Amino acid sequence: MLSNGSVTDENCQKTDFEGNSKQNEKQEILDSDDQRPMSGATTIFVPDTLWLVLDMSCVSFVDSTGGKMLAELRKELQDVNVNLCLAAPSEKVLKQLDQCGTLDILPKEVLFHSVHDAVTILARPYALTPTASPRESSVTQC
């Protein structure tokens, strides 16, 4: 029995409470190469993603492999114009990231005290842009 009160049998026939039988409709997914809408397909438009904020508040330890993975993730995200930001890392985690060289790749401008701070600052119209380097775009003109 489905959540809407209908029943599905072995032949994928959906029967509602009134005894009406309907063939299950299959949702078609658009192939990423083919942007033409297909009959019965749903197209969802997603705004461009500019930021990925990782909540590091529950992270208590980062080894060199974790640091390298963060650096690799930042590089991959930069290739698609997305900035990686870290929110709420502990001092211990920051020290470990510094020791493995990850903070040389992740500029301090993308480190935030909390997720709320990150979202508040990144939502501003003059926030860092993924295409510009963080040090250049964090300076505002008066």
Side-chain angles (χ1 to χ4, degrees):
M1 181 168 216
L2 302 175
S3 62
N4 64 359
S6 61
V7 179
T8 304
D9 65 9
E10 302 84 32
N11 298 327
C12 290
Q13 293 286 325
K14 193 187 296 184
T15 306
D16 59 15
F17 282 123
E18 298 165 358
N20 298 326
S21 180
K22 301 180 206 174
Q23 182 69 29
N24 278 345
E25 295 179 13
K26 293 185 180 180
Q27 183 68 23
E28 296 179 20
I29 299 174
L30 288 176
D31 186 49
S32 61
D33 295 311
D34 187 10
Q35 295 300 319
R36 292 174 291 144
M38 303 167 91
S39 63
T42 302
T43 303
I44 299 173
F45 294 99
V46 179
D48 291 335
T49 302
L50 300 176
W51 307 100
L52 174 64
V53 179
L54 292 181
D55 183 1
M56 303 285 287
S57 61
C58 294
V59 177
S60 59
F61 178 80
V62 177
D63 60 2
S64 61
T65 304
K68 288 177 186 177
M69 290 299 293
L70 282 173
E72 188 176 316
L73 177 62
R74 180 175 190 269
K75 183 185 179 308
E76 289 179 15
L77 289 173
Q78 273 186 324
D79 291 344
V80 293
N81 293 328
V82 176
N83 264 349
L84 174 66
C85 301
L86 304 181
S90 66
E91 285 191 39
K92 179 182 174 183
V93 168
L94 283 175
K95 184 178 178 183
Q96 292 165 343
L97 290 173
D98 190 34
Q99 287 174 344
C100 67
T102 305
L103 290 185
D104 297 335
I105 296 168
L106 282 172
K108 299 209 185 312
E109 290 84 4
V110 297
L111 302 176
F112 295 95
H113 287 105
S114 67
V115 173
H116 180 268
D117 286 348
V119 171
T120 302
I121 291 170
L122 298 175
R124 295 179 181 168
Y126 54 86
L128 306 173
T129 58
T131 55
S133 74
R135 296 186 194 281
E136 293 172 3
S137 58
S138 63
V139 177
T140 56
Q141 296 179 354
C142 298

